[in-house]
Amino acid sequence: MTKYTLAVSAILLASANAFAPSSSCHSAFTTTTTTTTTTTTTTTVATARTATKATRLLASTATETPLSPLTIWGPTIEDVNSLQQQCQKAPKPDFAPTVSAKDLNLVGDKEAQLKYFQENAMQLKTLMVENGAVIFRDFDLMKQQDGFVQFYTALGMNTCLDPLHSVSARPTVDGTKNSPVYEAVNKESRKNFFIGMHNEFVGTRAPRAAAFVCFKAAETGGEFLIADGRAIFRDLKPSLVEKLYQRSIRYSVMELPFFGWLDNVPSPIQQPLMNVIRGLASAAINSKVDFSVDLQWGEGGYDNVKMLQARAPKQPPIVVHPVTGDPTWFCNVHSHSSKLRKDREKIYGAERFEDGASQINKSDMFFGDDGDISDEDLQHMDEVTMKNVQFVKMTEGDVVLLDNYKCMHGRNVFDGTRKHGVAWFGGWEGEEEMKVKYLASSTGLGAGAAVVSKV
């Protein structure tokens, strides 16, 4: 019995450390808590401020940066198919327009570029909210981290901590512990891992917006991928939309693949021991996260051994945008589905899940009642998603500013050295005024309000 006690202790330790830095895609932990947003205030950088002052701003605000805001699930949609039909009949919305320093005759003049961002801050943020994302090209200002900080500060974007902050620690671009500019999955070991399309949310938290910047482009591939969640919602089969929305979805957020030895345990004590392990592991994991995780025994898993699978609470796959009221696909099946990832392995090679952390950080997706989603439905969601994906080949200084609720993101495989960064935002100056504007003008959801139940 002593060896089983030691084994359980080792598993408990592994479970408690299961939330170490992950080398796979950003989002893994999801839940359905309905909450409100968190906002902060940042100081607009004056045109005359130097890169040195931007560095001091970066250092001074790091310790004051708030947590990523709580996820806004919004009102319940009473008739999701009627709402989808309205979206299909409406003109297709614009997505991800480009703003070029060349077109503005600002190439080479960082001071003029900064002034442009200051003077057009509200217009550019409105462009992001209405179109899901804005692509900034040919700007010298954002080629270095200090200039990137000046850029988003001039726009009045309010930084927040990485949503992974409560469960792990994503590396920062400059290596500084409290830097608000994080690495965007640049590791050479992950170069053949196609990061599927997803919105950024972890547990109860989801940033409102993000800015992805290129400091060095990969020699080959490495494109930043974006997709309009409104378009995906519009293009999915109505029958599948209805089924997913009515049954909800839930993710398995990790696996503990350490239990093959249980098959050799004498049968009289096998089940009691499994119950003890499940309880201890559940207590260890739930003590480290701010949402409830349900552990379930599974047979096989990725490596055909007995494993514990942690599943997050169920959630809706479609949400109403918190500012414009547009219904949008807010579902990470493309990145989290085990089947879709395995299908991509046939194209790009194995995911190289070899070390302990990677073994643990495996995910999958199910209906909210734990039912399996058919291969046919997964394939359809993959096809619709990829049909709406834009491959954005970024060069040094390019930035994609995106609304995290409307715009999904991912990353293509690459060769060479890639250095991209990301800053997360809990909100922005003028966001409340935008909400008032859209409510008053009945834009966004418009006539769809009849099929939405306010909560």
Side-chain angles (χ1 to χ4, degrees):
M1 191 66 183
T2 301
K3 67 179 181 179
Y4 299 138
T5 302
L6 292 173
V8 170
S9 299
I11 296 307
L12 183 58
L13 178 62
S15 301
N17 290 295
F19 299 93
S22 169
S23 59
S24 68
C25 65
H26 311 311
S27 176
F29 304 94
T30 56
T31 188
T32 55
T33 304
T34 302
T35 64
T36 57
T37 59
T38 300
T39 58
T40 61
T41 303
T42 55
T43 304
T44 302
V45 179
T47 303
R49 289 189 178 176
T50 63
T52 301
K53 285 198 173 185
T55 302
R56 288 205 295 267
L57 175 66
L58 179 63
S60 66
T61 58
T63 57
E64 304 167 5
T65 306
L67 293 172
S68 178
L70 296 167
T71 308
I72 307 169
W73 298 104
T76 299
I77 301 172
E78 294 183 345
D79 189 342
V80 71
N81 283 151
S82 293
L83 189 56
Q84 185 188 36
Q85 290 173 11
Q86 293 176 26
C87 293
Q88 291 169 341
K89 293 176 182 177
K92 186 176 180 179
D94 293 330
F95 178 65
T98 296
V99 175
S100 169
K102 290 181 179 178
D103 296 338
L104 298 169
N105 295 318
L106 296 176
V107 174
D109 192 338
K110 293 183 181 179
E111 184 175 339
Q113 292 171 12
L114 182 57
K115 183 178 180 181
Y116 168 78
F117 293 131
Q118 292 169 339
E119 293 179 347
N120 296 277
M122 197 63 181
Q123 177 184 349
L124 293 171
K125 288 180 289 191
T126 301
L127 203 62
M128 173 195 71
V129 170
E130 291 185 347
N131 299 279
V134 182
I135 302 170
F136 295 91
R137 293 196 180 277
D138 311 311
F139 286 89
D140 307 273
L141 179 67
M142 293 88 85
K143 289 184 177 181
Q144 303 295 329
Q145 179 167 324
D146 287 350
F148 176 56
V149 173
Q150 287 181 308
F151 156 76
Y152 67 68
T153 305
L155 291 181
M157 305 301 295
N158 301 329
T159 55
C160 66
L161 291 173
D162 178 31
L164 282 171
H165 178 78
S166 65
V167 294
S168 70
R170 191 197 306 266
T172 59
V173 168
D174 63 4
T176 303
K177 181 179 179 181
N178 292 320
S179 170
V181 183
Y182 298 90
E183 287 272 359
V185 195
N186 302 313
K187 291 183 179 180
E188 192 276 338
S189 63
R190 307 304 288 164
K191 67 180 184 180
N192 71 325
F193 177 59
F194 182 100
I195 298 178
M197 305 307 293
H198 61 284
N199 305 94
E200 202 69 26
F201 57 103
V202 179
T204 60
R205 302 187 180 277
R208 281 290 293 107
F212 288 83
V213 59
C214 173
F215 294 127
K216 182 190 178 302
E219 281 73 7
T220 305
E223 292 91 346
F224 184 63
L225 313 181
I226 55 175
D228 190 343
R230 299 166 298 178
I232 295 173
F233 169 63
R234 182 192 63 229
D235 293 346
L236 287 169
K237 292 187 297 187
S239 59
L240 179 58
V241 167
E242 174 74 15
K243 182 166 54 176
L244 287 168
Y245 195 78
Q246 293 303 320
R247 295 178 66 178
S248 297
I249 57 170
R250 73 183 308 196
Y251 302 97
S252 67
V253 296
M254 61 178 288
E255 290 182 1
L256 300 177
F258 315 118
F259 300 103
W261 55 271
L262 282 170
D263 293 331
N264 299 319
V265 172
S267 56
I269 66 170
Q270 186 180 88
Q271 189 59 52
L273 184 59
M274 289 173 63
N275 292 340
V276 170
I277 292 172
R278 180 172 179 244
L280 290 173
S282 179
I285 293 169
N286 281 297
S287 69
K288 296 179 72 70
V289 297
D290 59 358
F291 60 99
S292 177
V293 173
D294 174 32
L295 289 182
Q296 300 183 12
W297 284 106
E299 296 292 336
Y302 294 98
D303 303 313
N304 296 318
V305 296
K306 192 182 297 293
M307 54 88 177
L308 269 176
Q309 190 178 71
R311 297 192 182 185
K314 67 180 183 179
Q315 66 179 65
I318 299 147
V319 298
V320 175
H321 189 270
V323 174
T324 65
D326 295 307
T328 183
W329 182 246
F330 195 76
C331 174
N332 290 349
V333 58
H334 198 253
S335 63
H336 279 46
S337 166
S338 173
K339 173 189 164 33
L340 295 184
R341 290 200 313 274
K342 286 181 179 293
D343 288 347
R344 291 194 285 265
E345 284 186 11
K346 299 174 185 177
I347 302 173
Y348 304 113
E351 293 184 10
R352 297 166 72 175
F353 276 137
E354 295 153 354
D355 60 30
S358 292
Q359 287 283 342
I360 289 171
N361 288 315
K362 291 179 179 177
S363 61
D364 208 347
M365 179 175 153
F366 306 87
F367 285 111
D369 55 15
D370 289 317
D372 290 331
I373 300 174
S374 71
D375 289 354
E376 179 183 357
D377 286 342
L378 289 170
Q379 186 63 37
H380 174 66
M381 286 186 277
D382 179 57
E383 291 172 354
V384 170
T385 299
M386 291 307 299
K387 183 182 76 171
N388 286 288
V389 167
Q390 290 187 23
F391 284 64
V392 182
K393 184 62 176 178
M394 300 171 69
T395 58
E396 287 77 359
D398 289 351
V399 172
V400 177
L401 179 69
L402 61 83
D403 184 312
N404 188 45
Y405 282 77
K406 278 188 180 179
C407 181
M408 309 187 81
H409 63 276
R411 193 219 65 200
N412 194 17
V413 298
F414 69 94
D415 279 314
T417 302
R418 182 182 190 270
K419 190 172 183 180
H420 286 224
V422 58
W424 307 109
F425 308 117
W428 54 86
E429 296 172 12
E431 184 177 7
E432 292 305 314
E433 290 85 343
M434 284 187 186
K435 292 179 182 178
V436 172
K437 167 192 167 185
Y438 284 104
L439 182 63
S441 61
S442 297
T443 58
L445 199 60
V451 291
V452 174
S453 174
K454 298 297 182 182
V455 294

